[in-house]
Amino acid sequence: MNVYDFDLTIYPTDCAIDFCLWCMKSHPKMWFTYFPRILKIVLFRGTRLIPEYMFQKKFLGFLTHIKNLDQQIEMYWDKNEKRIMPWYLEQKKPDDLIISASPSCLIAPIAKRLGVNYVATEFDPEYGVFLGNLMYGMEKAEYVFDNNLADKIDNFYSDSLSDTPIALCAKKAYLVKYNASVLVDWPEMDSETKEKVKDKIDTGWNIHIKED
């Protein structure tokens, strides 16, 4: 089986951020009621004063403001499904697994359209709370091991070094760069890369390979 991250891997941007901006266009009041709060926590995130889990919880709170959320999500994918990367569509298989930190309410509809399996962060859009852990970094790896998938992964694709534990399980792993348009071999685990991986997993922050 092949396993894929979603955002910035087979989709060129972060679908949660995109959907938020898409909703703000349809709900102008959010620019006044929601945007100032999210701007504040983004600034705090930049100083590492809040962990990724808390940032995501506060950010995804915008979902509680959207009426007819399921319908809005379907409308979003009606418009944006075409942005799924062509290289992925050319090699897509029915037993593919998408594993994503984005909320399942966003990932489930596109996974269904693609006809593949998925696991994502369980977030209650009505109450604005996580129903489990953020599906990020070690949580992804734990899912793979807990479900006895570690020795079944032929190819793994991700834009983020936080997914190194899964990459090391795969027969072949690829780092996806340049807005999901370029695939390179997963970096060798030299001392510098190990430190980046450790920092990324420990802090829950995005670390991407330096562009050549």
Side-chain angles (χ1 to χ4, degrees):
M1 66 180 296
N2 295 329
V3 178
Y4 300 83
D5 180 37
F6 187 78
D7 300 308
L8 295 168
T9 299
I10 66 173
Y11 192 69
T13 52
D14 186 306
C15 67
I17 294 175
D18 281 357
F19 183 65
C20 178
L21 295 174
W22 188 82
C23 288
M24 290 174 75
K25 291 179 182 179
S26 303
H27 303 75
K29 285 185 178 181
M30 288 180 63
W31 287 103
F32 303 99
T33 61
Y34 175 74
F35 184 72
R37 284 188 294 156
I38 194 62
L39 181 61
K40 181 178 179 179
I41 66 170
V42 167
L43 293 175
F44 273 108
R45 187 194 195 199
T47 59
R48 296 195 178 192
L49 293 178
I50 61 173
E52 185 70 9
Y53 185 94
M54 184 57 67
F55 169 80
Q56 292 291 346
K57 180 178 183 294
K58 290 180 177 293
F59 171 71
L60 293 175
F62 82 90
L63 295 171
T64 65
H65 299 278
I66 309 302
K67 295 181 179 179
N68 302 315
L69 179 62
D70 291 342
Q71 180 181 2
Q72 294 292 323
I73 290 174
E74 291 294 344
M75 291 171 62
Y76 169 80
W77 286 123
D78 285 344
K79 181 178 180 180
N80 291 284
E81 181 180 358
K82 62 186 178 183
R83 299 180 64 208
I84 296 292
M85 298 305 293
W87 66 261
Y88 170 67
L89 296 176
E90 291 173 2
Q91 66 185 45
K92 179 173 68 72
K93 297 180 179 179
D95 64 344
D96 285 349
L97 173 64
I98 291 172
I99 184 165
S100 175
S102 288
S104 58
C105 61
L106 278 174
I107 297 298
I110 189 63
K112 182 178 180 180
R113 293 180 184 217
L114 293 170
V116 299
N117 304 308
Y118 80 94
V119 60
T121 297
E122 295 297 331
F123 183 83
D124 188 322
E126 181 178 359
Y127 296 102
V129 296
F130 286 110
L131 302 179
N133 290 330
L134 181 68
M135 189 57 65
Y136 180 90
M138 289 305 298
E139 289 299 324
K140 289 185 180 181
E142 287 183 16
Y143 176 86
V144 166
F145 283 100
D146 288 347
N147 289 274
N148 299 314
L149 301 177
D151 60 349
K152 299 178 182 178
I153 302 174
D154 296 313
N155 298 285
F156 176 69
Y157 303 78
S158 175
D159 70 299
S160 174
L161 284 179
S162 71
D163 291 326
T164 294
I166 302 179
L168 294 175
C169 294
K171 295 176 183 177
K172 180 69 176 178
Y174 299 90
L175 191 72
V176 185
K177 305 170 66 174
Y178 303 109
N179 298 109
S181 63
V182 175
L183 279 63
V184 299
D185 289 344
W186 202 267
E188 295 291 332
M189 292 298 290
D190 55 30
S191 58
E192 181 180 356
T193 303
K194 287 180 180 178
E195 284 302 313
K196 289 181 178 180
V197 170
K198 182 178 183 301
D199 180 66
K200 183 167 179 54
I201 292 175
D202 287 347
T203 63
W205 283 78
N206 288 329
I207 294 175
H208 300 284
I209 291 295
K210 185 178 181 181
E211 306 291 8
D212 298 326

